[in-house]
Amino acid sequence: MTAGNIKGALLALLSMGLYSTHDVIIKLLGATYPALQILFFSALLSFPPLAVLLLRDPTHGTLRPRNPFWVGLRSLCIVASGVGGFYAFSVLPLAQVYSILFAAPLIVTVLSVPLLGERVGLHRWLAVCAGLCGVLIVLRPGVTPLGLGHLAALMGATATALSAIAVRRLGRSERTVILLLWPMIGNFLLTGASLGFAYRPMELGDLALTGVIAALGLAAGFLLILAYQAGEAANVAPMQYSQMLWAVAYGWFLFGERPDGPTVLGAGLIMGSGLYILLRERLGASRLRPATRARFGSDAVTAPRWSLLQRLLRPRG
């Protein structure tokens, strides 16, 4: 492995550690405050630094999308992904949440056939089936009760996958400012409206923690940009699965969570199938490659896609 690939992998590992810390703070605050309230303030406090970056958008035009359906669908999916992820982290063990969210690349592969016209070969279909079996092993329907947290995590994984599909359909036809701003507007409208139904006054320290969530999401995104600039995607992308190690460590020491055998087995199947799909897409000519190398599980307004941040940080020509 070259020095660049080693550097890229290490930067990606650090990025995933920050993302996991981001999720741990969500879980800590979720024990006291509604998930939508946490999401609202985290997104609100992430807006000032993002607004500075948005001013760097070199393209000209209005804020009206050229492809309103796909932009609207992507914005709705990002909001749904954030809501589902924030709620799931608040009520479920970390390892369970990650196991379910890691199914997003599998869902992307399935949806790519009707929505992108992608041709999926036998090997990738077998990987998808193995991964979905892993999801069933983690959930254990009929053996353990399934709650809203499990449904929220499944919603987050599905919404993240649909968002990735929408990005593929949009390509570079939309301005970066539109792809970042419209999900923020949708999030503020939805989560802001929810404050009228379930709001709990936040202590100053807890409010500051929502700012830490925003800062960690942005910092992790910037590190991921550096990782992909330093190393090849095939060496950087698999580092997203290191979050399971962070989840086990954080869950063990902070929350007294001990992953049981079925969770470990199911997570192993899901991660193994995801890695296999990444490998097959590296070798083939799949249009999904830019989608599957992003960090699945948090394409939320508090942690926007690294590829969009990269567009804004490129030097102006």
Side-chain angles (χ1 to χ4, degrees):
M1 184 180 289
T2 65
N5 283 331
I6 293 174
K7 180 181 178 181
L10 292 176
L11 286 170
L13 283 173
L14 180 57
S15 172
M16 295 305 137
L18 293 184
Y19 275 130
S20 297
T21 307
H22 165 287
D23 299 334
V24 165
I25 298 175
I26 293 171
K27 185 173 182 63
L28 288 169
L29 291 177
T32 306
Y33 304 100
L36 290 179
Q37 180 178 332
I38 301 169
L39 178 56
F40 173 80
F41 284 107
S42 299
L44 182 65
L45 294 175
S46 70
F47 184 74
L50 281 176
V52 174
L53 290 175
L54 290 176
L55 294 176
R56 293 177 54 89
D57 188 4
T59 58
H60 300 283
T62 68
L63 294 180
R64 180 181 300 173
R66 298 174 183 171
N67 302 277
F69 173 78
W70 288 106
V71 170
L73 177 63
R74 177 181 176 273
S75 300
L76 180 63
C77 287
I78 289 178
V79 174
S81 174
V83 171
F86 271 56
Y87 183 78
F89 281 119
S90 299
V91 299
L92 293 180
L94 291 168
Q96 274 195 27
V97 179
Y98 281 126
S99 298
I100 298 171
L101 294 180
F102 283 157
L106 310 177
I107 301 173
V108 168
T109 303
V110 173
L111 294 178
S112 69
V113 176
L115 297 181
L116 292 179
E118 184 86 3
R119 295 186 64 181
V120 177
L122 177 61
H123 289 127
R124 277 198 285 166
W125 277 125
L126 291 175
V128 168
C129 291
L132 294 180
C133 286
V135 174
L136 291 176
I137 292 173
V138 172
L139 294 178
R140 283 160 280 176
V143 178
T144 57
L146 299 181
L148 288 177
H150 299 95
L151 294 177
L154 286 170
M155 179 183 76
T158 303
T160 299
L162 279 170
S163 172
I165 293 290
V167 167
R168 290 293 85 222
R169 288 298 299 260
L170 288 169
R172 290 184 171 268
S173 64
E174 295 289 351
R175 297 175 61 203
T176 306
V177 63
I178 290 176
L179 296 179
L180 284 173
L181 192 58
W182 278 98
M184 289 183 186
I185 294 174
N187 178 76
F188 289 141
L189 290 176
L190 176 64
T191 58
S194 74
L195 298 181
F197 300 96
Y199 175 77
R200 183 166 184 175
M202 303 187 76
E203 297 181 3
L204 185 59
D206 292 338
L207 185 60
L209 283 177
T210 64
V212 173
I213 292 173
L216 287 173
L218 291 173
F222 293 139
L223 283 174
L224 207 51
I225 291 172
L226 296 176
Y228 278 109
Q229 289 175 343
E232 299 175 8
N235 294 294
V236 174
M239 296 302 108
Q240 63 181 307
Y241 294 108
S242 68
Q243 287 184 281
M244 184 59 71
L245 300 177
W246 287 100
V248 171
Y250 274 130
W252 192 294
F253 292 108
L254 294 182
F255 306 106
E257 299 171 354
R258 306 290 190 270
D260 55 18
T263 298
V264 173
L265 175 61
L269 281 172
I270 295 167
M271 291 188 290
S273 60
L275 287 169
Y276 186 77
I277 288 174
L278 283 172
L279 176 63
R280 296 293 298 183
E281 288 167 5
R282 178 195 178 193
L283 298 175
S286 173
R287 295 161 61 192
L288 299 180
R289 199 174 303 145
T292 52
R293 68 186 184 188
R295 184 246 180 181
F296 282 104
S298 187
D299 186 16
V301 285
T302 60
R305 292 179 72 91
W306 66 272
S307 54
L308 294 180
L309 294 177
Q310 186 178 38
R311 285 193 208 176
L312 294 175
L313 290 171
R314 283 176 181 164
R316 299 183 182 183

